Amino acid sequence: MESLRKPKKKSKRKSETEIQIDGPEGIIPDVLSFDEIENDSDFAQVENDVHIESTSTSEIEPTVVIEDPSIHQLGPNIYPVDEIGVLVVANNNGWIQEPEIGNDVLSEDVDPCEEALATAPASFESGDFLSLPSLQRLPKPLEILEEEVDVFLPEAKPSHVSILANIYNNYLLENNESYIKQFLETLQPSTEGFELFELLSNYLRAYNNLVGCEKSLSALKDSCDEVEKRVWSLSVKQLNENCQCEDGITLTANYKVHIAEYNETTFSQLTRTLKDIKELLKDSFSLYTYSVQLSKTQIEHFLYKNFGNFNLETYFDNQSYAKPEARGFAQLLRRTITVFFHFLRKPLLHALFTKDLQDWVNRCAGLLLRIATIEDHIFLLNHVIRLPPKVVSKFGASLVHVPPIPIPSSAADYATSFTHLHLDYALTLLATILSPVSKRAELLNQYQIALKTTIPPHEASLQWVLVDSDGEDEAEENPFFKEMDLIALLHQVPFDKVFRRVLLIYTEGGEDVHDLRLCSEHSLLKLLAFGSHLISIFGNGLRTYYTDQYRQLVKLLGRLILHTIQYITDQVECFIEAGGQIVRTTTPVFREYDIFLYDAVGVLITGKNVGTAQFLAAVPYHLVSTGMLWEIYCLLTKWDPEISLDVSCEFEHELLAMSESNAFYALTTMSNMALTRQGNENQFVKRVTLHLFEIGFLSSVTRETCSKNVRDLLGNLSNYPRVISNLLQNIKQKIEVLDKLALFLVRELAFDTWKPTNEDLQLLSHWMLNFHTFSLESQVARFVIHSMNWDFGHDDQLFLQREIHLKVALLVVESHFKWERPQNLISESVKQLSAWVTKNPDFTSWAWDILRRLHLHGFDWNKSSPPKISSMLVNLPSFESHSELEWLRKAMDEKNPIACTVALLLTPIGHSLPLLCTDGFSLIEVLLQNSKFEVVMHLLFLLVPLFANSKESIVNCNRFRNILTTLLAADMTYVRMAKNLITAEFPGLFTKMFGNMIHTQLDQFFRFGTTAKRLLSLWLNLLTKIQGWNKDNNILYLLDVMAHYSFANEECKKFFHYFFYSMYKEIPVNNSSGITSFLFNWSYSATTVLPNSTYPHMPYFVYFILTIESSLENESGFWKSLSKALANPKTTLESAIKKACGTSKYSTTSNYLTIYRWSQHALELPPSHPLLLIFWQKFFVKYFHRSATSENHGGIGERFFEGLINTGFQKKLKKRLHELLKFYSTEIDRLENETINDENIAENTDFIVGRLKNSYKLLNGMALWIEDPLFHGEALYVPALPPQCLPVELHTLLEGDTTDWQEYVDFDSIHTTDKSVTQSYLTLIHRLSWIHPRKGPRTLHWNFTASGRKDEFLKRLNSYDAPLEPPPVPTFPQILPSITTSMYTNNHDMNASLKIHLKNLIEFAQ
């Protein structure tokens, strides 16, 4: 791509009163009339502080009127007043601001917009157009017909002629080159003949001598150490001695002797070396040290002499204006600083010398910055950027400073413009930093040469490369900037203040305020002009430092470019919000915004290979016009529709050469461009989609590296209309090339938002019916159908039309009938094995799953209000009137299970009661014969409610009764029976599913146009009509499910109780020993009281039955007679029961007394069961029953627990109560600890803890009741009992009140279980949206609310690093004592002055 270049400016402008901008050939050009512009209110605002005299033949010469003489101190380059606005003023912090110049000196004769229009070229095609500095020539116009290229073409090519040239003028920026030239011209003369230069030269010379002396001294010390080791030579000598003893034996002894030899010559050499060291220390080293100290003292004295007596307050008048004499003082400071920088650029300086230089520069610069004008800031900046590498970041960055940019405290301060001198300097600073530094290499030439000479050429290849903490090469031999130098300088620009100023943000009460009323057309044009300058500067920086060495810098520039785009985009949106709906053709803002965005994106594209690609993906493209978006897209992808509609080969190879991350960002940019169109420009979205599809799945160059990323991006784009349809058509054409990638692609597409057309359905039908189930086409079609949104939309209507549900159902039937014909057992096994080997999902399983998802039955058409049966029948297709059902009839005749299911759901067979009873049950029997129990339950879920108002027609139907019997026996397979021999598992899979279905049907009764009571009555009658229902555990489980639902529903609870109470009344007394005996056929043994272990699986049903039996015991007078008989201690329990049965005509035995049954279930229920305390309550009602005889009014409860067996049972009850107390205590402690440790625990924790504590108190009272027999005594006075005995509850028990203690029932747990059961079954049949709203589609939103945009503003504005603080206000201490005149004439004054110095000399001499 061509690099961005600055076009030549036109020095003359047309004198005509009209300016014509030619468009592409064949397009009627737009004509802009000055009269029209003057009448436009948006151009009526005049720049109050700029006076530009225009002429038709001469160059534009700005005329400036200056009244304050202090302005002349700024130098020869004077601003137009609009761009300066203020002059040098000292504020409370010692910094300089510029006083505002009154508007009375300004002329308002010419509107800057008119001036901008007047300078525009007459023809765009000529190429001589006035634009932003970074604007480049765009691609040729898109002139291909839409019918040929299938892309959207605007009526006219977007104009790239900017009118912003004179709306914002930065005189500092325009004259920056002259400032730099002037700086370089005065650089050398500033050091010649200057006293400080000679002092620093002497100081450097002394330091060099000292360094040389140190090196000589170090060499002598090394030589001394080496010679010293040779003065004495140490060796070891072995001596052998022989001696004979008196006994004649000879002895031999060996000795090792250490010998030291003195070397006189070496000692003489050592003496000479030590003498040399002594002389060097005595003479040279002392001299050079003294010279260094003397030179440093002279420099310090120079600084004190010139700047020590400087007082900032004396250089400002009463109005805080700088006095003219301050400039002379500033000139001396600048010359002094120049000399210091001259020496800082010298190579290989001594560390202490460098430290002193930097300290002096900081002090002088700190003083200069307090009285600095903009030229002084530019002076310091130019010195800093010509320092050696790394010195800038470690030392020089703090010297570069932007004077405070004022942020107003009210909107009125922005009445004229946001322009300000300090704002202009911020741009000039950026431009200087990011442009090539002239003569930097020349000034650092000695530094570069010195670096090269430090490494011998023959050792250069062996040099180790050291990497510093910033990852930069320490051994690099060039004078160029280090990356950290440039980043440090960029951080000195207060971007937060810059953007606050240009965005017209003011502070109020310490908070940023963004007032939309300040967003006018003129302010936006000026902001766009400012942003264009800023983008141009950043673009220049990208071109200057376009290497991997500056990757982090490039990323920082890319981030700043992105922020600039985002700020301006947000401001334009504010303009739209403030002005309502604005037509693009009525205001130049949008045209200028298009040009600005094209410019900015072009700059980012230039640096995409070194770090700016990620910012391209984040650019907001939603406000740019469609025509300009095509231009940007062509620029990014190198696409020319005149050549080909396919992706550019150049772009494909670029993607291949990019890093993986950069390629992803480039592709994401393409996707985001389409996403921001919100689906309005279908042709653009289609073209982007097809290009991404080609890159990721068709191109042999990029398919391997880009397919995964492209799949994700196409998944985001697939939310838009027609995208999936276009992709499916292209998959059809390229299926052979795609192969398995086709399935890989469609798995990511957002089919939940797709609404297929007839053409799409025909394509899916073609793949399903003409390709085998193992083919790729069939797999793709099945996945597409499976992924479509068959649920309800936000309007409670089906998301896809019912006709589509019907067509897909018939397609499933036809394809299944064609490819899945009935086969024998062996061939079916081979088919399943083949499907497993090829990892192909079973076609039949897929078909059944799709049928569950489809909404075919009348009760499934609407989410909120079900239709009436009569209206359903009218809208149903029938075999006689709909020829498309012929395949369905044919499959039904062959008893195809899927066809039978579709017929029941789709046709009148499953909606008309007569047809359902005659033909529908036959189809259900076909399903049962094929073991489709789950399907049958789903059908019953929809069909049974049809009989809610006419239950007799189905309750007495033997065929339906057989259907239920078969369904209830579904779990009784041979495998299941074998498992039950090892471990009992109840309920079975299908029994539990049946119970969940009935519970969900009762819970969602309103969807069937009936009531829960009617459905409950229907199911109770259906189940209790089955022969032997009371002996079938599966039926009892279903009854318990209905009892569970009824317990929390008052109406159903009453009906459930009434239904079985009526049933009990019909049981002959002499043939039964109790309703529970009739229901459960209980038997007992000698070791247990209630031997049946299955009762815990049906606690709710048992609750209702035992409640009925308890009431029957009381109503019949049995319990009263029993209590009277037991009042006699001599009467046994069996005798009392026999006597009571004879008296009351109520038949039972001791094993079936309700007092035992309540207690037995209380023992077996888990501690957390909601009905636990109710069962204990019912037990204690019987336990505390008192005799009504005249002899004894005490309780009879203890009489039921006499004997060995019953006493043991009572002990179990006591133990169980203590276990429950321990359980509840542990739960209370756990929840309280969780609440303390986690404040964000569930909101109802306190409520749960309170309920548990109440339950604990009740259980504690019950434990006391059962332990102490005094509670059964006649003398018991309940009000006198302590609180822990719960006298209130005990009193109700003694009174025989059987009302349930509802406050101890955990209804939350019951409701949670209800919801869980309903959710489980609705998930199984894909109707979860009935109770949970469906998640919205995947979308990418670009539009922010006003509050959201403010949050984004503040987040970005607070994301910038704060600039380093400038050096503090310096002090220059007095080094040499002052000499007064009296010292020469008065001996006493001289002696007094010299006394302290003479004393120091004497002490040093001693």
Side-chain angles (χ1 to χ4, degrees), residues 73-74 88-90 93-98 307 310-316 322-334 364-377 380 1369:
Q73 298 299 328
L74 286 174
V88 182
V89 180
N93 298 324
W95 285 101
I96 300 304
Q97 294 181 346
E98 283 73 1
F307 311 123
F310 180 79
N311 187 354
L312 287 175
E313 297 180 357
T314 61
Y315 284 88
F316 296 93
K323 295 181 179 179
E325 53 267 27
R327 298 312 306 153
F329 184 79
Q331 290 296 334
L332 178 60
L333 274 173
R334 290 172 62 165
C364 293
L367 183 58
L368 179 62
L369 286 173
R370 267 58 187 187
I371 61 172
T373 63
I374 293 300
E375 288 185 346
D376 295 327
H377 286 282
L380 286 173
V1369 179

Side-chain angles (χ1 to χ4, degrees), residues 293-311:
Q293 189 62 37
L294 177 62
S295 298
K296 182 178 180 180
T297 303
Q298 290 174 339
I299 296 171
E300 290 283 0
H301 180 65
F302 172 85
L303 295 177
Y304 171 74
K305 178 179 61 176
N306 289 281
F307 311 123
N309 296 322
F310 180 79
N311 187 354

Side-chain angles (χ1 to χ4, degrees), residues 45-50 82 107 112 167 416-417 419 522 526:
Q45 182 174 353
V46 181
E47 188 79 356
N48 294 330
D49 49 358
V50 177
D82 174 47
S107 174
I167 291 183
T416 56
S417 173
T419 54
H522 178 73
K526 196 154 193 174

Side-chain angles (χ1 to χ4, degrees), residues 992-1004:
K992 185 176 182 179
M993 187 185 301
F994 200 169
N996 292 348
M997 184 272 290
I998 294 177
H999 184 281
T1000 304
Q1001 195 177 68
L1002 294 172
D1003 185 63
Q1004 301 292 313

Side-chain angles (χ1 to χ4, degrees), residues 153-215:
L153 297 178
E155 295 182 359
K157 178 180 175 67
S159 173
H160 300 280
V161 182
S162 175
I163 64 171
L164 303 180
N166 290 331
I167 291 183
Y168 171 74
N169 293 318
N170 189 331
Y171 218 71
L172 272 177
L173 188 59
E174 294 173 3
N175 292 275
N176 193 32
E177 293 296 332
S178 63
Y179 287 130
I180 296 174
K181 182 178 180 181
Q182 182 181 359
F183 169 80
L184 294 174
E185 289 175 351
T186 59
L187 194 60
Q188 189 64 29
S190 298
T191 60
E192 295 177 354
F194 190 40
E195 177 186 356
L196 180 62
F197 184 82
E198 299 299 330
L199 293 176
L200 281 170
S201 298
N202 294 336
Y203 189 33
L204 178 59
R205 191 179 304 112
Y207 249 121
N208 289 336
N209 291 335
L210 180 60
V211 170
C213 183
E214 288 175 344
K215 290 182 179 180

